[in-house]
Amino acid sequence: MPPTRNRRGDRDKTRRPGGPRQTGRPQDMVRRTAFDVIRAVATRDAYANLLLPARLRDRGLTGRDAALATELTYGTLRGRGTYDAVLALCSDRELRRVDAPLLDVLRLGTHQILATRIPPHAAVGTAVELARTVSGPGQAKFANAVLRKVAARDMDAWLAIIAPSDADATTRLSVAHSHPKWIVSALRDALGPDRGEIDALLAADNARPRVTLVARPGRATVDELYDAGAEPSPYSPYAALLPEGDPAGIAAVREGRAAVQDEASQLVAMALAAAPLDGPDTRWADLCAGPGGKAGLLSALATERDARLLAADVQPHRAGLVARAVDDRAGIIVADGTAPAWRPGVFDRVMVDAPCTGLGALRRRPEARWRRGPEAVAELGPLQRALLAGALDSVRPGGVVAYVTCSPHLAETRVVVDDVLRARQDVERLDSPAVLTSAVPELAGLGEGPYAQFWPHRHGTDAMFLALLRRAD
C-alpha cells in the first residue's frame, strides 16, 4: 500500500450552527471525505471510483489534499481484511459487535498508522476526532484505546502475528494481502502451474493503478496527450499514462476524443480488429457496449476502415453512456445480446465483453473483493454462455467473435468458451496471443494459447481475458 506525504494531525474544529460537527482544517475534511465514501460503499453499494471524484469536487479538495483523500479511501478499502485481523487483536469487543460506522473509522485509522507516512500520534488523534464526530465521546475513547494498541507495532510486526509463515498458505495469503480466501484460490488456479507468482499478483492488486488514457484514432492523438502531460505507455499505440492530475483537465478527455481506459481493454479491442477473417469487413458489433470504453475505440478503428459499429446494451442508461464515447458513424441501440434484435449472421466482427465478477480489476475497484462471494461466479455463468452463443449466431461464417471478461477466473473464461463450443461444430479457436503479439511484438506472458490472459503483475494492466473465435465457412 503506497505511502502518502507526511501530514500534520491538526484537530481544530468548528461547529456550524444547528448542524453536525464540521472539521475546520483541510486535513480533517480529507478524512471525513474518505470516511463518507467508505460508508457509501458499505451502505449504498456505491463505487468508490465513481463517487470519490464527485466528493472531491463538491468539497473543493485539490492537489495534495485530493491525493491524500484518494489514498485513504482506496487504501482502507483494499486493506480491510488485513486491518480487521489486526483490529480483532486490539479490541476487547468482537468486530461484529462494533457499530459499522465506528468500525470504518478504525479501519481508516489503522490504514493511516500502518500504511502511510503520517506519524502514529497524528494518525491516532485524527481518527479519534473523527470517531467523536461520527459516534460520540464514549466511542472516541474506545477508538483511542484500540488505535493506540495498533500503533504499538508496525505492519511487518503485525503480519508476523496475523499471517505467520507456518500458517496454511491460503489463509496466510488471504490475510497478508487482504483478499478473501475464495479469490486467492481462484487466482492461483487461473495462474496455472505454480511459478511462485501468486504473491506478486496479490500485491499488484493492492498497488495504486496507473491512470491510462486512450486517444481515439481519428479524433485525438497520443502526441496531444503527451503535450498535456501524459507519458508513453508500453503496449498500445493509442495509450498514454497520466502520472498525476485529473484526466478531465485534458481538453481531449473533456471533449470525448480521448478517455480513461486500461491498456488491456484497448489491446483486446485492437485484437478483434486485427484478427484474420474471410470475406467482407464492414459490419462490426459490440453486444455489451456500456459504458463505452471498448466501443469507443472499436468505432474509431471501424471508421478508419470505412466499416460501421453497432453498439448495443440491454440497459438504457448504459447505452446513453456509449453515445458519448463512439463517433458519429456508430449506431446505438438498447437490445439484449442473448436475444438478438438483428438477423443471424449479419456481422463481420463481434465483441462480447461479458458481465463478470470483476476480479481482474481489483486494483481499480478494491471494494469488489468484499462485495461478491463465490456464488456470484455460478450466478453469472448462464448469462455469459448465452451472450457468447448470441454473438456466435450474430457473426457470419468467416467472421470473428471476441469473448472478453475482466476476470481471470477459470469458470468465467475458458470454461465458458469450452462449454459453448462443445455444442457447436462451426467455430474454430484462433491463437489469441499470436494475434496480439503480431500487432504488439513487445507483449509476452499472455499464455500459450489459444486464449490470452493479461495480468497486473506481468503487464501492469487489469487481468483481462480474451478468446478469439471464427465461424467456419
Side-chain angles (χ1 to χ4, degrees), residues 414 430-434 446-452:
R414 60 179 62 239
L430 300 182
D431 188 334
S432 299
L446 296 168
E448 298 176 358
Y451 309 132

mmCIF file of all heavy atoms in Angstrom, residues 414 430-434 446-452:
data_model
loop_
_atom_site.group_PDB
_atom_site.id
_atom_site.type_symbol
_atom_site.label_atom_id
_atom_site.label_comp_id
_atom_site.label_asym_id
_atom_site.label_seq_id
_atom_site.Cartn_x
_atom_site.Cartn_y
_atom_site.Cartn_z
ATOM 1 N N ARG A 414 -12.168 -19.630 -19.804
ATOM 2 C CA ARG A 414 -12.030 -20.767 -20.719
ATOM 3 C C ARG A 414 -13.126 -21.805 -20.531
ATOM 4 O O ARG A 414 -13.519 -22.473 -21.507
ATOM 5 C CB ARG A 414 -10.649 -21.412 -20.581
ATOM 6 C CG ARG A 414 -10.311 -21.951 -19.202
ATOM 7 C CD ARG A 414 -8.919 -22.594 -19.188
ATOM 8 N NE ARG A 414 -7.883 -21.625 -19.511
ATOM 9 C CZ ARG A 414 -7.048 -21.756 -20.546
ATOM 10 N NH1 ARG A 414 -7.128 -22.805 -21.336
ATOM 11 N NH2 ARG A 414 -6.133 -20.851 -20.770
ATOM 12 N N LEU A 430 -9.050 -19.171 -32.608
ATOM 13 C CA LEU A 430 -7.841 -18.542 -33.122
ATOM 14 C C LEU A 430 -6.816 -18.442 -31.998
ATOM 15 O O LEU A 430 -7.156 -18.473 -30.815
ATOM 16 C CB LEU A 430 -8.152 -17.150 -33.677
ATOM 17 C CG LEU A 430 -9.169 -17.080 -34.823
ATOM 18 C CD1 LEU A 430 -9.332 -15.637 -35.293
ATOM 19 C CD2 LEU A 430 -8.758 -17.976 -35.970
ATOM 20 N N ASP A 431 -5.574 -18.284 -32.362
ATOM 21 C CA ASP A 431 -4.498 -18.148 -31.382
ATOM 22 C C ASP A 431 -4.454 -16.686 -30.924
ATOM 23 O O ASP A 431 -3.804 -15.847 -31.558
ATOM 24 C CB ASP A 431 -3.168 -18.570 -32.004
ATOM 25 C CG ASP A 431 -2.038 -18.649 -30.984
ATOM 26 O OD1 ASP A 431 -2.121 -17.944 -29.958
ATOM 27 O OD2 ASP A 431 -1.073 -19.395 -31.227
ATOM 28 N N SER A 432 -5.147 -16.400 -29.841
ATOM 29 C CA SER A 432 -5.266 -15.013 -29.385
ATOM 30 C C SER A 432 -3.917 -14.390 -29.030
ATOM 31 O O SER A 432 -3.649 -13.243 -29.406
ATOM 32 C CB SER A 432 -6.223 -14.938 -28.196
ATOM 33 O OG SER A 432 -7.505 -15.374 -28.564
ATOM 34 N N PRO A 433 -3.019 -15.083 -28.281
ATOM 35 C CA PRO A 433 -1.712 -14.472 -28.023
ATOM 36 C C PRO A 433 -0.954 -14.142 -29.304
ATOM 37 O O PRO A 433 -0.280 -13.102 -29.383
ATOM 38 C CB PRO A 433 -0.986 -15.534 -27.195
ATOM 39 C CG PRO A 433 -2.082 -16.291 -26.515
ATOM 40 C CD PRO A 433 -3.182 -16.345 -27.529
ATOM 41 N N ALA A 434 -1.060 -14.997 -30.318
ATOM 42 C CA ALA A 434 -0.352 -14.736 -31.570
ATOM 43 C C ALA A 434 -0.911 -13.503 -32.268
ATOM 44 O O ALA A 434 -0.156 -12.700 -32.830
ATOM 45 C CB ALA A 434 -0.441 -15.955 -32.494
ATOM 46 N N LEU A 446 1.277 -13.916 -22.061
ATOM 47 C CA LEU A 446 -0.181 -13.965 -22.236
ATOM 48 C C LEU A 446 -0.728 -15.381 -22.144
ATOM 49 O O LEU A 446 -1.955 -15.564 -22.175
ATOM 50 C CB LEU A 446 -0.566 -13.372 -23.596
ATOM 51 C CG LEU A 446 -0.260 -11.892 -23.797
ATOM 52 C CD1 LEU A 446 -0.421 -11.516 -25.266
ATOM 53 C CD2 LEU A 446 -1.184 -11.040 -22.931
ATOM 54 N N GLY A 447 0.130 -16.364 -22.033
ATOM 55 C CA GLY A 447 -0.301 -17.751 -22.052
ATOM 56 C C GLY A 447 0.097 -18.415 -23.354
ATOM 57 O O GLY A 447 0.543 -17.766 -24.304
ATOM 58 N N GLU A 448 -0.092 -19.707 -23.391
ATOM 59 C CA GLU A 448 0.349 -20.485 -24.546
ATOM 60 C C GLU A 448 -0.740 -20.679 -25.587
ATOM 61 O O GLU A 448 -0.555 -21.418 -26.561
ATOM 62 C CB GLU A 448 0.869 -21.840 -24.055
ATOM 63 C CG GLU A 448 2.073 -21.702 -23.118
ATOM 64 C CD GLU A 448 2.535 -23.026 -22.548
ATOM 65 O OE1 GLU A 448 1.879 -24.050 -22.859
ATOM 66 O OE2 GLU A 448 3.524 -23.036 -21.814
ATOM 67 N N GLY A 449 -1.882 -20.036 -25.422
ATOM 68 C CA GLY A 449 -2.937 -20.133 -26.401
ATOM 69 C C GLY A 449 -3.816 -21.352 -26.177
ATOM 70 O O GLY A 449 -3.467 -22.237 -25.394
ATOM 71 N N PRO A 450 -4.961 -21.388 -26.836
ATOM 72 C CA PRO A 450 -5.423 -20.384 -27.803
ATOM 73 C C PRO A 450 -5.960 -19.106 -27.157
ATOM 74 O O PRO A 450 -6.252 -18.148 -27.858
ATOM 75 C CB PRO A 450 -6.543 -21.117 -28.552
ATOM 76 C CG PRO A 450 -7.117 -22.035 -27.509
ATOM 77 C CD PRO A 450 -5.937 -22.492 -26.698
ATOM 78 N N TYR A 451 -6.095 -19.094 -25.832
ATOM 79 C CA TYR A 451 -6.646 -17.928 -25.154
ATOM 80 C C TYR A 451 -5.524 -17.040 -24.632
ATOM 81 O O TYR A 451 -4.408 -17.504 -24.392
ATOM 82 C CB TYR A 451 -7.543 -18.362 -23.998
ATOM 83 C CG TYR A 451 -8.585 -19.383 -24.383
ATOM 84 C CD1 TYR A 451 -8.778 -20.541 -23.618
ATOM 85 C CD2 TYR A 451 -9.371 -19.214 -25.516
ATOM 86 C CE1 TYR A 451 -9.729 -21.485 -23.972
ATOM 87 C CE2 TYR A 451 -10.328 -20.167 -25.882
ATOM 88 C CZ TYR A 451 -10.499 -21.297 -25.103
ATOM 89 O OH TYR A 451 -11.439 -22.234 -25.464
ATOM 90 N N ALA A 452 -5.838 -15.759 -24.442
ATOM 91 C CA ALA A 452 -4.873 -14.801 -23.911
ATOM 92 C C ALA A 452 -5.361 -14.287 -22.564
ATOM 93 O O ALA A 452 -6.552 -13.998 -22.397
ATOM 94 C CB ALA A 452 -4.689 -13.629 -24.874
#
